[in-house]
């Protein structure tokens, strides 16, 4: 079956064109093992926002593709949703889109003895996100970010 990261990339490659064909942006794909089953969460976006009907439309189409391709071993639950204001960030381009915003990142390997950093995005360069937290600057490789999420409620 391969590791979860490889499987998530495979699912992203399979599902992204289908979502694009429906007129939406595929913001990201997460596959989370939960006991004997998994949760496949697909985030979609559009310039005009996302409604429940949009989620249902994409879910129906993705269910059909997933049934035919059968890329996930065992049982899983498909969930299609909007990324929301506190959206997860999956790519360098997404981090770049939110330069100046506050983000929380969880790292797969410690940087300067830290596995969690909450800081403002200062820039993105060649597979690295530059975060500023309490007077310190962290150069975080994108590959080391296990999970990154915007913090929209915090004041500037």
């Amino acid at each position: 079956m391969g590791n979860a990261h490889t499987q998530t990339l495979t699912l992203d490659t399979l599902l992204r064109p289908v979502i694009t064909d429906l007129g939406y942006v595929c913001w990201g794909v997460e596959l989370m093992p939960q006991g004997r089953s998994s949760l496949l969460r697909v985030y979609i976006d559009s310039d005009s926002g996302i409604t429940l009907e949009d989620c249902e439309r994409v879910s129906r189409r993705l269910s059909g593709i997933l049934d035919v391709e059968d890329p996930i071993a065992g049982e899983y639950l498909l969930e299609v949703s909007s990324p929301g204001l506190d959206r997860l960030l999956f790519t360098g381009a997404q981090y770049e889109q939110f330069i100046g915003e506050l983000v929380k990142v969880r790292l797969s390997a410690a940087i300067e003895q830290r596995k969690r950093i909450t800081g403002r995005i200062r820039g993105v360069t060649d597979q690295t996100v530059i975060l500023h937290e309490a007077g310190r600057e962290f150069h975080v490789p994108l590959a080391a970010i296990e999970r990154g999420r915007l913090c929209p409620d915090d004041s500037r």
Side-chain angles (χ1 to χ4, degrees):
M1 183 164 95
N3 68 28
H5 181 69
T6 302
Q7 192 168 18
T8 300
L9 289 176
T10 302
L11 288 164
D12 190 283
T13 303
L14 175 67
L15 303 178
R16 185 172 294 273
V18 177
I19 293 165
T20 303
D21 284 349
L22 288 170
Y24 302 99
V25 172
C26 178
W27 186 260
V29 175
E30 279 187 304
L31 181 64
M32 296 167 283
Q34 298 183 327
R36 295 171 61 169
S37 65
S38 299
L39 172 62
L40 173 59
R41 188 173 288 143
V42 179
Y43 297 97
I44 60 171
D45 206 0
S46 78
D47 290 341
S48 57
I50 295 297
T51 65
L52 181 58
E53 289 76 23
D54 294 324
C55 292
E56 289 169 348
R57 181 174 175 229
V58 172
S59 182
R60 279 193 302 276
R61 181 69 66 87
L62 295 184
S63 290
I65 299 288
L66 291 165
D67 288 348
V68 170
E69 298 290 331
D70 198 23
I72 302 171
E75 293 180 26
Y76 67 93
L77 174 66
L78 171 64
E79 182 181 291
V80 177
S81 72
S82 150
L85 293 176
D86 63 340
R87 62 187 56 208
L88 290 171
L89 300 175
F90 295 91
T91 66
Q94 290 174 346
Y95 281 92
E96 203 161 8
Q97 192 176 333
F98 291 99
I99 286 175
E101 298 295 326
L102 195 63
V103 67
K104 288 181 186 177
V105 295
R106 184 174 70 213
L107 307 173
S108 55
I111 293 177
E112 298 180 38
Q113 292 80 47
R114 302 281 301 278
K115 287 200 82 169
R116 294 177 190 273
I117 300 169
T118 300
R120 295 224 177 269
I121 303 170
R122 285 292 162 93
V124 180
T125 60
D126 200 34
Q127 301 302 309
T128 302
V129 178
I130 302 164
L131 297 176
H132 189 265
E133 178 195 64
R136 292 178 66 192
E137 197 166 89
F138 294 89
H139 290 255
V140 182
L142 273 170
I145 298 175
E146 210 169 79
R147 191 173 183 96
R149 182 182 291 279
L150 282 181
C151 306
D153 297 328
D154 296 292
S155 59
R156 289 183 171 268

